Amino acid sequence: MNITSKEVYTAIWLSENSTSSKACAYLRSLLPSKVVKSTSGIHKVAIIVGHNNIAQGAYVKGNIQQSEYKFNGIVADLMVDLVKEDNAIEIKVFRRKYLGKRQYSAEIKEVYKRVNKWNPEVAMELHFNSLGGACRVEMLYYKGSVNSKHLATIALHHSSMLLHQGINTKLLPRTKNDNGGGSLYYCKSPIVLTEPFDSTCIRHVK
């Protein structure tokens, strides 16, 4: 079956037949009830595109043929497009700035300074994995944060249901110095770092 690039991008975080109403329902499901709205009447959701335009992360073949940075940039823009007519949800996309070699931590601090200034209700940092064919879906949350774990649990459910890989999933608690932990540490809002598929898994990218 031939599918379009847009269907692939949409499928990764929602479903192949995504609509604005489905997108909004998914985003609302991520909003913890105990979190106070950052703007009255509007749910602000920050989407952070993983990696940068120089160091673009992993690469996936199959139907996608994109690096993490390019792929997730398209996903982020699609999410904005899907919810643009919903008056209760506002999405803002943030991209890391390349600050030079071995400046990873500085890049993380810089982008989350901008995220925190915008003061979103929740945040999602978009990635995908390269696990040597392990075919595992992973969601990272900040260790000890109930709201961050809540986001990760919901995101893991959506992704595993989509890929029919519910058995091979993992919630990964992270601290500041763990892989991926810097983003979770520096974000003041509840956040999930998403790894919704394994780019080396044929079942995920065929």
Side-chain angles (χ1 to χ4, degrees):
M1 179 180 66
N2 294 323
I3 57 177
T4 67
S5 295
K6 183 174 182 179
E7 286 173 327
V8 175
Y9 301 140
T10 311
I12 293 306
W13 74 280
L14 193 56
S15 74
E16 289 186 10
N17 299 309
S18 181
T19 63
S20 295
S21 60
K22 285 184 179 180
C24 294
Y26 171 71
L27 291 174
R28 286 195 184 96
S29 74
L30 294 174
L31 298 168
S33 59
K34 294 182 181 180
V35 176
V36 179
K37 292 181 181 180
S38 49
T39 303
S40 179
I42 298 176
H43 294 289
K44 294 167 68 175
V45 180
I47 305 297
I48 300 90
V49 178
H51 302 283
N52 60 52
N53 64 329
I54 303 298
Q56 297 194 5
Y59 186 86
V60 62
K61 298 180 180 179
N63 282 319
I64 299 175
Q65 298 285 336
Q66 295 276 9
S67 67
E68 277 187 84
Y69 179 76
K70 289 184 177 179
F71 173 82
N72 285 313
I74 296 172
V75 172
D77 292 338
L78 177 60
M79 293 170 77
V80 172
D81 185 60
L82 285 169
V83 304
K84 65 183 178 182
E85 296 181 3
D86 190 290
N87 294 325
I89 298 176
E90 180 183 2
I91 291 180
K92 187 171 183 178
V93 177
F94 295 84
R95 289 173 169 83
R96 280 166 45 186
K97 298 177 181 178
Y98 178 70
L99 300 178
K101 293 182 179 179
R102 296 183 291 277
Q103 295 298 314
Y104 176 84
S105 295
E107 290 178 11
I108 294 296
K109 291 179 183 179
E110 191 279 330
V111 72
Y112 280 99
K113 183 177 181 180
R114 286 184 278 130
V115 171
N116 293 335
K117 184 177 181 180
W118 192 58
N119 191 27
E121 191 166 346
V122 295
M124 300 176 70
E125 182 167 317
L126 306 182
H127 291 263
F128 60 70
N129 251 327
S130 179
L131 296 173
C135 297
R136 188 169 59 247
V137 176
E138 299 177 342
M139 297 292 159
L140 283 62
Y141 67 95
Y142 196 73
K143 187 176 182 180
S145 170
V146 174
N147 286 329
S148 181
K149 186 175 182 179
H150 171 83
L151 297 184
T153 302
I154 294 173
L156 187 66
H157 170 75
H158 279 273
S159 293
S160 60
M161 290 292 289
L162 168 67
L163 295 171
H164 306 293
Q165 299 294 323
I167 295 177
N168 199 4
T169 63
K170 187 175 288 187
L171 285 175
L172 297 175
R174 287 289 188 260
T175 60
K176 178 182 177 181
N177 295 321
D178 292 329
N179 186 30
S183 295
L184 304 172
Y185 174 80
Y186 287 111
C187 186
K188 293 182 179 179
S189 303
I191 180 173
V192 56
L193 192 152
T194 67
E195 303 275 12
F197 68 98
D198 177 4
S199 65
T200 62
C201 178
I202 297 174
R203 290 184 313 221
H204 287 187
V205 300
K206 65 180 179 180

